Amino acid sequence: MAPSQVWLMAITCGMVVANLYYNQPLLAEIGRTFSLTENRVSWVATVTQVGYTLGLLLLVPLGDKWERKRLIMALTVLAAGCLAVAAYAPTFGVLVGASLLLGFFSAVPQLLVPMAASLASDEQRGRVVGKVMSGLLIGILVSRTISGYVGLHFGWRTMFWVGTGLMLVLVAVLARMLPRNQPHYAGSYGSLLRSLGTLARDLPVLRRSALVGACLFGGFSAFWTTLVFFLESDAYGYGADVAGLFGLIGATGAFAASYAGKSADQKGPGFALRIGLALFLGGYLLMGFGGYYLVGLIAGVVVLDVGQQMAHIANQTRVFSLRPEARSRLNTVYMTACFIGAASGSLLGGLAWHHYQWPGVCAVGFGLVALAYGVNRFYGRTER
């Protein structure tokens, strides 16, 4: 692959996936607009993740059947429309509905990652996936920084209008620069969806990666959904802009994605996954015992994000090596499980904060990551 193609895919992934995370630093502001409790307004983050999960399940498999460039551009236009509705939303119900559809149509990154994997050589696949995923992960984290600043100074609705404009500009760039990529699946849409179950049944490595990914994304989402509540509490007394800056702090760990890809190429994805799991657990320990001190919280965020990214890249590299002709569907199975975990983590994190505050959130996150470690160990033994 040409470096310019890799960069374009990475930037596109980052810009589109940001749609899912603009709302997180804005939850407190949205709650004040509609006079909602913290627990109820957290549903905006949850339904966005649910919508994304549905998009993974119903739209991403089409990447093995339809021409990918046209599909990616169409979904980006629809995501722009949903952002505009969210910006205008006169009621909380309209905002929730727009958030659900926004998540659904923002599945573009999960079409681009297998597209990049199919264009890369076997020897470079881990590195290419790592670079594209770096863009996606930086988009996840930096989106919170931008959103927090814009929300504080210009209002939460402005952030959604800005997102609308960014998507329309992106469509124009993709129309000019993204290469066409035609897959070869000839069956019906129904058979395409049915094959997801067949792949999950026949490939134990896919099942293992999906379960581990679900637990890790749950732990990741529980933290980021509730961080704004913690920072605005009496423990810190910060605003949405500071909550957004934590996304920028976490983005420093996104560079680990490239290292994880190289490690997966050279030492195997299992090595990178074990390192990622250990770091993820360490991040929650740091935040659980030192989260009430700013230095401890910052250190925990960096370690947590590095661990998440290393584990995720390792999992995806392992999954993409299984069936080259079915990479979009393999990614569908894996990422659907991940975002079921993410939606569950958002819900559990909101409940934990409501009842037990920060110690409850850390307990939920640590428990989910510990479960991922146990699943990886158990399946690793049964596959040998």
Side-chain angles (χ1 to χ4, degrees), residues 198-199 202-203 319-328 330:
T198 303
L199 290 169
D202 294 345
L203 300 173
V319 165
F320 288 145
S321 68
L322 297 175
R323 297 275 179 89
E325 76 283 0
R327 286 194 174 113
S328 286
L330 292 170

Side-chain angles (χ1 to χ4, degrees), residues 105 162 280:
F105 293 124
V162 170
F280 212 137

Side-chain angles (χ1 to χ4, degrees), residues 9-100:
M9 291 181 180
I11 292 169
T12 301
C13 283
M15 289 180 66
V16 178
V17 82
N19 296 337
L20 308 177
Y21 299 96
Y22 288 142
N23 57 42
Q24 290 185 358
L26 304 175
L27 291 176
E29 293 291 333
I30 293 171
R32 284 189 280 271
T33 296
F34 296 109
S35 302
L36 301 171
T37 64
E38 293 170 340
N39 186 43
R40 189 177 176 198
V41 77
S42 67
W43 275 92
V44 174
T46 300
V47 299
T48 306
Q49 302 290 349
V50 170
Y52 192 65
T53 304
L54 292 172
L56 288 169
L57 183 62
L58 299 176
L59 295 177
V60 171
L62 289 170
D64 284 338
K65 182 175 174 62
W66 290 357
E67 200 280 313
R68 285 174 174 143
K69 177 177 180 176
R70 294 179 63 186
L71 179 59
I72 287 167
M73 290 176 58
L75 293 179
T76 305
V77 170
L78 290 168
C82 294
L83 283 163
V85 172
Y88 171 75
T91 66
F92 183 64
V94 172
L95 178 61
V96 168
S99 298
L100 180 69

Side-chain angles (χ1 to χ4, degrees), residues 129-130 133-142 144 216-217 220 224 246-261 264 269 272-273 275-277 279-280 301-317 334:
V129 170
M133 285 300 301
S134 293
L136 185 149
L137 296 165
I138 290 172
I140 291 173
L141 298 167
V142 174
R144 298 183 176 100
L216 291 178
F217 269 65
F220 193 66
W224 283 107
F246 270 81
L248 193 60
I249 293 167
T252 60
F255 297 104
S258 180
Y259 172 75
L273 178 59
I275 297 297
L277 286 168
L279 289 170
F280 212 137
V301 169
V302 172
V303 174
L304 184 82
D305 277 47
V306 170
Q308 159 70 8
Q309 290 154 26
M310 288 197 69
H312 180 51
I313 296 299
N315 262 340
Q316 278 200 313
T317 302
Y334 171 66

Side-chain angles (χ1 to χ4, degrees), residues 332-361:
T332 292
V333 174
Y334 171 66
M335 290 305 303
T336 298
C338 287
F339 276 87
I340 289 173
S344 301
S346 291
L347 180 60
L348 291 173
L351 290 171
W353 174 261
H354 181 70
H355 293 288
Y356 303 106
Q357 303 291 294
W358 187 242
V361 171

Side-chain angles (χ1 to χ4, degrees), residues 68-367:
R68 285 174 174 143
K69 177 177 180 176
R70 294 179 63 186
L71 179 59
I72 287 167
M73 290 176 58
L75 293 179
T76 305
V77 170
L78 290 168
C82 294
L83 283 163
V85 172
Y88 171 75
T91 66
F92 183 64
V94 172
L95 178 61
V96 168
S99 298
L100 180 69
L101 291 175
L102 176 62
F104 184 71
F105 293 124
S106 294
V108 166
Q110 303 311 324
L111 291 164
L112 282 166
V113 174
M115 181 177 174
S118 69
L119 293 172
S121 66
D122 291 342
E123 295 77 15
Q124 294 181 326
R125 183 164 297 115
R127 277 174 286 223
V128 169
V129 170
K131 288 177 182 178
V132 174
M133 285 300 301
S134 293
L136 185 149
L137 296 165
I138 290 172
I140 291 173
L141 298 167
V142 174
S143 63
R144 298 183 176 100
T145 304
I146 297 171
S147 179
Y149 180 85
V150 172
L152 180 69
H153 294 282
F154 303 101
W156 64 267
R157 295 182 188 274
T158 302
M159 186 62 247
F160 289 109
W161 285 121
V162 170
T164 304
L166 289 174
M167 289 301 97
L168 295 176
V169 170
L170 181 60
V171 169
V173 175
L174 291 174
R176 182 177 178 83
M177 297 182 62
L178 188 69
R180 292 176 62 84
N181 187 244
Q182 180 65 56
H184 302 289
Y185 185 85
S188 66
Y189 179 65
S191 67
L192 190 73
L193 293 184
R194 287 192 295 272
S195 70
L196 298 175
T198 303
L199 290 169
R201 183 193 65 206
D202 294 345
L203 300 173
V205 173
L206 177 60
R207 294 197 300 272
R208 172 187 178 187
S209 298
L211 289 171
V212 170
C215 294
L216 291 178
F217 269 65
F220 193 66
S221 188
F223 166 74
W224 283 107
T225 298
T226 57
L227 177 63
V228 64
F229 302 142
F230 183 45
L231 292 174
E232 290 194 353
S233 70
D234 292 338
Y236 285 102
Y238 294 141
D241 56 338
V242 177
L245 284 174
F246 270 81
L248 193 60
I249 293 167
T252 60
F255 297 104
S258 180
Y259 172 75
K262 292 178 182 178
S263 297
D265 286 336
Q266 295 170 1
K267 299 182 180 180
F271 172 80
L273 178 59
R274 290 191 295 272
I275 297 297
L277 286 168
L279 289 170
F280 212 137
L281 288 168
Y284 261 116
L285 286 174
L286 278 170
M287 292 189 296
F289 290 101
Y292 287 93
Y293 303 95
L294 188 60
V295 172
L297 186 62
I298 290 172
V301 169
V302 172
V303 174
L304 184 82
D305 277 47
V306 170
Q308 159 70 8
Q309 290 154 26
M310 288 197 69
H312 180 51
I313 296 299
N315 262 340
Q316 278 200 313
T317 302
R318 182 160 56 186
V319 165
F320 288 145
S321 68
L322 297 175
R323 297 275 179 89
E325 76 283 0
R327 286 194 174 113
S328 286
R329 283 168 287 161
L330 292 170
N331 201 41
T332 292
V333 174
Y334 171 66
M335 290 305 303
T336 298
C338 287
F339 276 87
I340 289 173
S344 301
S346 291
L347 180 60
L348 291 173
L351 290 171
W353 174 261
H354 181 70
H355 293 288
Y356 303 106
Q357 303 291 294
W358 187 242
V361 171
C362 290
V364 166
F366 186 88

